[in-house]
Amino acid sequence: MALAFSDVEKMLVNEQKKRDDHLVIGGLESFIHTWITKIKQDGETDKLARADALALILRGYGNADTNARFDMLNHALLVLREVTADAPAPAADELADVFDEDEDEFVPTRREASKPKPPAPRAPVVAGYGLDASVSRLQNVGPAHAKKLQKLGVYTVNDLLYLFPRRYDDFSHLRNISELMVNDEVTVLLTVCECFTRDTKRGLKITTVVLADMTGTITATFFNQPFLQQQFKAGRRIVVSGRVFKDLGKLAFKQPEWEPFSKSLLHTARIVPVYPLTEGITSRWLRRLVNDVVEYWASKVADPMPEQIRTRENLLDLPGALREIHFPTTPEKMERARRRLILDEFLTIQLGVLQQRRKWREQPGRALNVERHRVDEFLGRLAFKLTGAQTRVLEEILGDIQRTQPMSRLLQGDVGSGKTVVAAAAMLIAVANGAQAALMAPTEILAEQHFKTLSKVFAELPTARAPRVARLTGSMKNREKEDARTQIAAGEVDIAVGTHALIQESVEFRDLALAVIDEQHRFGVEQRAMIRAKGYSPHIVVMSATPIPRTLALTLYGDLDLSVIDELPPGRQAIQTKWLEPLERERAYGFIRGHINQGRQAFVICPLIEESEAIDAKAAVEEYERLRTQIYPDLRIGLIHGKLRPAEKDETMNAFRDHQIDVLVATSVVEVGIDVPNATVMLIEGADRFGLAQLHQFRGRVGRGGHESFCLLLAEKKESASDERLRVIESTQNGFLLAEEDLKLRGPGEFFGLRQSGLPDLKIAKLSDAKLLEEARALAQEIFDRDPELRAPEHHLLAQRVKDFWKGKGDLS
Ligand code: ADP
Ligand code: MG
C-alpha cells in the first residue's frame, strides 16, 4: 500500500523545520509524484484526488525560496489535515460550536461570559421535511431566529439556499507573519502562545492573544469577549483572517475572523461568503447555518435545466452551483456558479414572457383598413411635419393594425418626442373604420391634457371626418360620467380619453378596436388586461417615456413589439443642467427668484426618502412650509405629493398651469408628462438619490415653452457633486444614454423609480448582465420552439419554475 496521509503529513512537518528539500532523496516534488504513481498502482482511488491536490500545491517546491516553501507546506498541510482530522478531538469541535453561538465581529455583548450556551446540535433538519419547510424546522433555528431571517426574505429552507452572498472575502491564500504588511487582508495559520484579558478603566474587557508561526509573532485583540480566554489555550492552532494593523509599532489583528484549525474551515482560509445581515443575526451564525443547509440540501435540489442543454452549454449542475456560490472552492468555480444561476433567472423570465406573447398572439383580432388619404389629410393639417422617427413608428403601427393578429406594441420615446400625435393618427384610422378608440392616462391632469390636444388636432379636420372625442375621468360629476358612458356605449363617441375610469366595469364600448395606454409603467398589469377586455381583442399600444435600454425592453416586455421614437422635433432647446453642492442652495434660491421675477415659474422636487409615500409626503410638507415661510414668504407656493386625493392634486396642478402658483413643491409625482410651458426652472433636492433616468424624466417638465430652461441638481453629500456618473446628466439630453448609464450602476427597481417598478425580483442577476441575458433569450427561444407549453418531461421542472416565478406578479404585457 502507498504511504498513508498521516505519514506524508509527518514528512511535511519535518520538511517545514528546515525547508532545505533534503528530507527525501530527489526532493519533495518527485517524492510526491512517486507516491501518486504508487497510489494509482495500488488502486487506492479514494486517495487520489487529495494526493493530486498536494502535487499541485507543491509544484515548483524545489526551485522556491524558503518563504514560498513555507507557504506551500502550510497549504499542503491544511489540505492533508482535512483528511487526517477525520476524527477530531471532540473538545475542539465543541469549543467551535460554543463559539459560533457566542461571538462575532465587534458587537459588545451583555451576555454573561461565564455561561456560554450549550453546544447546539448540528444536524441540519429533521428528516422528512422538504425544501419548502420553514426554516424554524432547522435545528439551529429557534422562533426568534426564524423571525429575524424573515427580515432577510428567508422563510423556507429553499430561501436559505437562495440567500446569496453579497460579496466574498478572499482569505484563501495562507501567509507567514514575516510577509504581512499593514493594511493587508490576510489569512494566517497560527499557534497560540499566550492569552490574557484585562479590564479597561471604562469597563471594557480586552482579550489579547499572542500568536506565532515559524516566522514571527503577532497579537490579536478582542473586545468584551472574555470567554475567549478559555478558547485560546497555549499550543492551540487557529486560523486567523482579517486586516493587519500596526499597534505600537507591532503587527496586530483587531477583532479578526478566526476559527480553530480543523477539518472544515468556514470563516477563514478560503473564499468566505459575506451575507446580508439584519439585527440579531451574526455573520458567523448565518454562515454556519447556510453551510449546514447547503451541505445537506443542495444535493437534493432538482435541476430544472434540461440535461442536454446543461452539457452543451458547459453549465454547472444546480446543486454544484449552489454549493459554489456559497462556499466557492476557487474564483473560477464561483464565476461558473454565478453564470449558471443568472442564466436560470433570466431563462425563467424569458420563458414566461414568451408564453405570454403566445397567449396574446393566439387571439384573433380585427384587421383595420388603412386609408392612406385619411392619414395624409390628418398629417397635412398639423402645424408641423412629423420627424423621421415619428413617421417610421406610425408606419409600424399602421402595419400592425391591418393584421388579424391583435397588435401589442410598446411605443417608447423620450419626453417631448411627440408620441401623442402618432397615437392620434392611429386612433383616427380606427375611427375611419367605424370603430372606436380609447386613450388612457394615469392621472386626471394628463387625461385632461390629452383630451385638449386631441380635440385641437382633430378640429383641423373637416367636421364630417373629425372624430368625436369625449372625456371620462373619476373627478367628473356623476351626471357627466353617466352621459359619457351612455355615449360610449351607443357609439356616439369615437374616442374616449380618460383615466382608470375608462376601465371600470360600468364602461362599455360599442366597438373598441384600438386602445392606447400612456405612461404605461404607471399602470398595473391587471389594468392593461382590463382594457383589452373592453373590446374584441383590440389592438394595443402602450406608450412610455422611460427610455428603457433595448436589452431590458426585450426582456421585460418581450411579449410586446418595440417601436422607438429616437429623435426630438427640431428646434428643441437644451435644458441647462447643473450639479450644485449643498453649500450652493442659497444661490439656487436666488436663481429661482430671478426667474419668478421675470414672470416664469419653478418646480422644487423633494428628495426620495424611502419607499413610503407617507414619509415622502411629510418631508415635502416640511419643505413646502420652509420655502413658504422662510425663503419665499412673498411668493405663491404650491404643494403636491402622493398622499393627496386625485382631485386635490389636479386642483394644484391646474392652479400651477394657470400661473396662480409661482413655485410648486413636489415629490416624484410630477414625473409624468405634465406640460406647463411657463415653468423654466427645476430644482431637485437630494438629486444623488435618484437614478439618472429618473432625473431626466423630471427635467423633461421644464423646457417645454420658448424660454431658456434650467435644471439644478442639489446633491445631498458633498462628494457626490464630483461624482463622475452624475456629470453625465449635465452633458447629455439623451435619455437612452442616461438609461444605459443608470442600468450599469443601479438595479432595475431604482431605474424605474422605486415604486412602480413592477419588475421581477432578481436574486442574483443584474439587468446589466447583458451578455447572459442574450444567452438566456436564445436558450428560452430554443426550448420554446421545441416545446411551447413546456409539456415534455424534461421541461416539467422548468414549467413549474416559470409558474412559481410569475405567481402573483401577473404578466408583463
Ligand atoms: P411626448 O412624447 O412626451 O408625449 P408630446 O406628444 O406631448 O410628447 O409632444 C410634445 C410637444 O411636441 C407637443 O406640443 C407636440 O405638439 C409637439 N410636437 C410633436 N411632434 C412634433 C413635430 N414633429 N414637430 C414639432 N413639434 C412636435
Ligand atoms: Mg406624453
Side-chain angles (χ1 to χ4, degrees):
M1 222 173 46
L3 273 185
F5 284 122
S6 52
D7 297 327
V8 177
E9 182 187 351
K10 277 179 212 141
M11 296 195 60
L12 297 188
V13 169
N14 278 327
E15 172 66 26
Q16 201 168 29
K17 288 180 186 147
K18 286 197 160 160
R19 283 169 275 157
D20 57 3
D21 209 17
H22 281 118
L23 190 73
V24 283
I25 298 163
L28 198 54
E29 267 189 280
S30 69
F31 163 77
I32 295 282
H33 280 123
T34 317
W35 178 52
I36 289 178
T37 315
K38 183 86 171 88
I39 288 176
K40 285 184 184 156
Q41 277 169 6
D42 296 350
E44 297 172 278
T45 44
D46 52 325
K47 282 186 182 173
L48 206 54
R50 196 153 313 251
D52 277 338
L54 286 182
L56 265 179
I57 293 166
L58 294 171
R59 192 156 64 190
Y61 186 87
N63 295 326
D65 63 21
T66 53
N67 272 341
R69 283 180 176 179
F70 187 83
D71 216 12
M72 289 176 176
L73 289 168
N74 262 343
H75 194 171
L77 282 167
L78 258 180
V79 169
L80 255 183
R81 279 163 183 155
E82 274 188 46
V83 259
T84 56
D86 267 347
D93 236 31
E94 266 166 41
L95 285 173
D97 275 342
V98 172
F99 224 77
D100 288 336
E101 287 299 313
D102 274 350
E103 48 70 53
D104 199 344
E105 51 271 288
F106 188 18
V107 183
T109 163
R110 250 172 263 121
R111 196 180 290 147
E112 276 173 68
S114 53
K115 272 197 278 169
K117 276 196 190 169
R122 186 51 63 74
V125 76
V126 181
Y129 296 120
L131 278 162
D132 51 3
S134 157
V135 280
S136 59
R137 290 261 159 91
L138 296 169
Q139 292 202 353
N140 290 343
V141 181
H145 273 134
K147 249 215 166 103
K148 285 166 189 155
L149 284 171
Q150 285 180 11
K151 289 210 180 118
L152 297 173
V154 173
Y155 296 82
T156 65
V157 174
N158 194 60
D159 292 341
L160 262 183
L161 284 178
Y162 278 84
L163 178 72
F164 296 130
R166 268 190 302 128
R167 60 180 181 84
Y168 303 86
D169 284 331
D170 190 349
F171 292 138
S172 55
H173 296 285
L174 284 180
R175 305 264 204 97
N176 309 324
I177 291 177
S178 66
E179 299 174 305
L180 301 187
M181 310 270 269
V182 175
N183 266 332
D184 282 356
E185 293 270 358
V186 298
T187 296
V188 203
L189 173 56
L190 296 162
T191 306
V192 175
C193 299
E194 59 173 325
C195 176
F196 47 87
T197 298
R198 63 190 172 83
D199 295 321
T200 67
K201 277 180 214 141
R202 293 163 66 204
L204 219 61
K205 285 188 188 305
I206 298 184
T207 303
T208 305
V209 208
V210 181
L211 300 154
D213 69 3
M214 315 278 291
T215 67
T217 60
I218 187 168
T219 59
T221 45
F222 298 86
F223 306 98
N224 279 355
Q225 295 173 325
F227 51 88
L228 289 180
Q229 182 72 43
Q230 307 168 4
Q231 310 267 323
F232 295 133
K233 297 254 162 61
R236 190 173 192 202
R237 279 184 311 174
I238 64 174
V239 182
V240 178
S241 289
R243 183 181 297 276
V244 179
F245 292 87
K246 202 150 213 176
D247 190 18
L248 300 174
K250 294 203 182 114
L251 296 180
F253 289 111
K254 289 179 192 162
Q255 298 278 127
E257 285 283 358
W258 75 277
E259 63 193 313
F261 179 74
S262 73
K263 73 175 169 178
S264 62
L265 292 169
L266 206 55
H267 310 292
T268 61
R270 59 172 310 140
I271 302 174
V272 177
V274 180
Y275 293 99
L277 293 179
T278 181
E279 211 188 319
I281 290 201
T282 66
S283 56
R284 288 181 77 105
W285 183 84
L286 188 54
R287 203 176 284 139
R288 167 70 64 193
L289 180 69
V290 173
N291 184 61
D292 289 351
V293 166
V294 168
E295 292 266 301
Y296 187 84
W297 287 100
S299 59
K300 297 177 177 55
V301 177
D303 193 337
M305 190 72 80
E307 172 70 37
Q308 178 234 340
I309 291 183
R310 215 185 68 218
T311 317
R312 190 191 68 202
E313 301 292 322
N314 190 22
L315 297 172
L316 286 182
D317 62 14
L318 186 53
L322 288 171
R323 259 184 236 114
E324 288 290 336
I325 202 72
H326 287 289
F327 297 96
T329 44
T330 63
E332 293 73 32
K333 276 271 183 61
M334 194 254 281
E335 261 322 304
R336 285 189 67 196
R338 252 179 61 78
R339 176 174 133 85
R340 164 66 215 255
L341 295 166
I342 290 175
L343 273 180
D344 275 12
E345 279 197 318
F346 282 151
L347 186 65
T348 310
I349 298 180
Q350 288 301 299
L351 284 170
V353 161
L354 286 174
Q355 284 185 338
Q356 193 60 60
R357 181 183 175 90
R358 195 171 89 117
K359 220 162 88 193
W360 292 135
R361 313 271 138 164
E362 267 176 354
Q363 295 162 350
R366 158 164 179 195
L368 297 175
N369 181 26
V370 177
E371 290 180 273
R372 276 290 145 190
H373 65 273
R374 299 295 301 269
V375 181
D376 294 341
E377 179 181 49
F378 173 71
L379 296 180
R381 290 171 190 234
L382 288 176
F384 46 77
K385 205 167 152 294
L386 289 195
T387 61
Q390 281 172 313
T391 308
R392 175 170 42 79
V393 167
L394 176 59
E395 286 310 318
E396 285 166 358
I397 291 173
L398 294 180
D400 275 4
I401 60 178
Q402 296 180 63
R403 304 213 178 91
T404 47
Q405 224 174 26
M407 162 172 68
S408 289
R409 193 169 275 280
L410 173 64
L411 167 49
Q412 275 192 70
D414 214 339
V415 179
S417 61
K419 296 182 288 292
T420 320
V421 67
V422 172
M427 289 193 284
L428 176 74
I429 293 304
V431 173
N433 277 261
Q436 289 169 299
L439 172 54
M440 185 160 79
T443 63
E444 299 252 337
I445 187 110
L446 267 181
E448 179 76 22
Q449 204 168 281
H450 281 320
F451 175 71
K452 285 193 176 146
T453 306
L454 292 186
S455 305
K456 203 174 104 197
V457 291
F458 291 139
E460 302 295 325
L461 290 170
T463 329
R465 295 196 291 276
R468 293 160 296 179
V469 186
R471 258 179 325 158
L472 182 56
T473 67
S475 69
M476 281 162 54
K477 294 203 189 74
N478 280 339
R479 267 286 308 283
E480 295 173 325
K481 273 192 265 193
E482 194 45 54
D483 284 352
R485 278 196 292 257
T486 313
Q487 291 173 336
I488 293 170
E492 290 157 23
V493 158
D494 300 310
I495 297 177
V497 181
T499 54
H500 295 73
L502 275 182
I503 48 174
Q504 302 304 306
E505 229 169 275
S506 51
V507 181
E508 263 179 57
F509 284 83
R510 189 178 63 80
D511 184 12
L512 179 65
L514 170 65
V516 180
I517 303 174
D518 195 18
E519 303 297 348
Q520 63 85 33
H521 69 276
R522 289 258 166 169
F523 281 109
V525 168
E526 316 83 71
Q527 284 142 340
R528 264 178 263 153
M530 279 164 85
I531 198 150
R532 268 180 210 275
K534 292 287 174 201
Y536 171 70
S537 301
H539 297 288
I540 296 220
V541 185
V542 294
M543 305 199 292
S544 173
T546 310
I548 309 166
R550 192 171 171 80
T551 42
L552 181 51
L554 284 173
T555 305
L556 300 172
Y557 304 103
D559 54 333
L560 303 176
D561 292 312
L562 187 58
S563 285
V564 183
I565 303 185
D566 50 4
E567 179 185 356
L568 290 182
R572 285 285 156 80
Q573 42 159 318
I575 298 156
Q576 305 282 335
T577 305
K578 265 263 165 273
W579 268 97
L580 304 178
E581 299 211 351
L583 280 175
E584 297 177 284
R585 179 176 281 107
E586 290 306 318
R587 265 179 58 199
Y589 289 151
F591 186 82
I592 289 178
R593 183 179 283 282
H595 280 255
I596 305 283
N597 288 345
Q598 286 166 37
R600 303 284 88 75
Q601 291 163 276
F603 290 98
V604 174
I605 308 291
C606 298
L608 195 65
I609 295 174
E610 52 184 272
E611 271 191 69
S612 148
E613 287 216 333
I615 292 176
D616 283 355
K618 188 164 163 280
V621 171
E622 280 165 18
E623 178 70 2
Y624 163 75
E625 286 301 334
R626 200 173 64 81
L627 289 176
R628 195 175 62 87
T629 57
Q630 294 170 32
I631 314 289
Y632 302 123
D634 53 326
L635 299 182
R636 297 165 300 175
I637 316 291
L639 170 66
I640 187 164
H641 59 68
K643 276 284 160 188
L644 296 177
R645 273 178 282 122
E648 294 173 309
K649 277 190 225 171
D650 283 340
E651 198 178 311
T652 307
M653 275 320 297
N654 286 334
F656 188 56
R657 187 190 54 203
D658 300 341
H659 203 164
Q660 290 153 12
I661 289 174
D662 298 308
V663 178
L664 182 63
V665 179
T667 57
S668 52
V669 297
V670 288
E671 190 187 338
V672 187
I674 288 309
D675 203 2
V676 181
N678 194 44
T680 53
V681 192
M682 171 169 281
L683 170 65
I684 303 180
E685 291 273 357
D688 40 350
R689 287 177 178 248
F690 293 106
L692 296 180
Q694 211 180 358
L695 290 173
H696 180 63
Q697 290 277 304
F698 291 144
R699 177 167 69 175
R701 300 305 111 229
V702 295
R704 297 176 83 87
H707 307 286
E708 190 177 22
S709 296
F710 300 85
C711 180
L712 308 176
L713 305 171
L714 256 174
E716 220 155 71
K717 295 190 225 85
K718 195 161 181 299
E719 322 84 80
S720 52
S722 60
D723 189 333
E724 199 49 44
R725 174 182 83 97
L726 303 176
R727 295 281 169 213
V728 180
I729 196 167
E730 286 188 331
S731 62
T732 183
Q733 301 276 127
N734 183 331
F736 279 91
L737 208 115
L738 290 168
E740 293 278 4
E741 203 60 34
D742 237 11
L743 203 54
K744 269 189 233 154
L745 293 145
R746 303 166 62 114
E750 291 159 290
F751 172 80
F752 281 102
L754 291 170
R755 288 174 203 123
Q756 57 273 12
S757 72
L759 291 181
D761 169 29
L762 298 171
K763 290 211 177 341
I764 185 166
K766 290 201 210 63
L767 289 161
S768 49
D769 291 322
K771 230 181 111 242
L772 289 175
L773 189 50
E774 288 293 327
E775 268 180 61
R777 283 186 46 221
L779 282 183
Q781 195 64 54
E782 178 189 334
I783 294 172
F784 189 78
D785 287 345
R786 237 185 293 139
D787 179 19
E789 310 224 13
L790 302 180
R791 287 234 174 95
E794 73 265 28
H795 297 150
H796 197 76
L797 286 167
L798 264 184
Q800 191 55 44
R801 275 237 168 165
V802 173
K803 224 171 102 203
D804 289 348
F805 188 87
W806 291 93
K807 200 164 36 192
K809 292 177 180 119
D811 60 27
L812 274 175
S813 69

